[in-house]
């Protein structure tokens, strides 16, 4: 097997997801790209909760409950963000945050 199933393996994958999401949030020029990158960051947090639940927690339900909570927050975030992106697109006819100057005032 290429990857061993240890806590360190899961933490490395979570760090990769977090760094990729953070880089995407900084580098993307569209609202949808930033939203997808934020989902990667939330998924890295959920993976950490599941990994620590599996390897260190005595109660197996704690990490799963936190992961379900993160999934609920992510779903709410997507619903709110998509509605905001649609409202901005309808008003300004673009999805580039740099072109939306009037929102600052």
């Amino acid at each position: 097997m290429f990857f061993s199933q240890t806590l360190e393996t899961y933490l490395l994958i979570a760090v990769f997801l977090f760094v990729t999401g953070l880089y995407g949030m900084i580098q993307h020029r569209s609202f949808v790209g930033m939203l997808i990158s934020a989902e990667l960051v939330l998924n890295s947090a959920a993976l950490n909760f599941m990994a620590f639940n599996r390897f260190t927690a005595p109660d197996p339900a704690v990490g799963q409950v936190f992961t379900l909570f993160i999934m609920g927050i992510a779903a709410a975030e997507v619903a709110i963000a998509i509605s905001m992106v649609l409202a901005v697109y309808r008003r300004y006819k673009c999805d580039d945050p740099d072109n939306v100057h009037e929102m600052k005032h």
Side-chain angles (χ1 to χ4, degrees):
M1 179 174 247
F2 185 68
F3 289 108
S4 61
Q5 293 186 358
T6 62
L7 179 62
E8 291 82 17
T9 303
Y10 290 104
L11 293 180
L12 284 175
I13 294 170
V15 165
F16 175 74
L17 283 174
F18 181 78
V19 170
T20 304
L22 195 62
Y23 178 76
M25 288 175 72
I26 293 170
Q27 290 297 318
H28 273 276
R29 295 283 186 193
S30 68
F31 290 119
V32 176
M34 286 191 254
L35 180 65
I36 292 170
S37 299
E39 291 298 318
L40 285 177
V41 171
L42 288 174
N43 283 334
S44 72
L47 182 61
N48 274 337
F49 278 118
M50 288 302 293
F52 279 108
N53 176 50
R54 180 173 180 217
F55 291 105
T56 62
D59 185 13
V62 174
Q64 294 171 3
V65 168
F66 274 113
T67 301
L68 287 175
F69 187 69
I70 289 173
M71 290 171 72
I73 289 174
E77 175 224 348
V78 166
I80 292 170
I82 289 293
S83 66
M84 290 172 63
V85 167
L86 286 176
V88 167
Y89 186 78
R90 283 182 186 157
R91 180 170 171 98
Y92 298 103
K93 302 295 182 201
C94 70
D95 66 342
D96 188 0
D98 291 336
N99 293 336
V100 185
H101 299 291
E102 295 178 15
M103 288 179 60
K104 293 179 182 175
H105 303 286

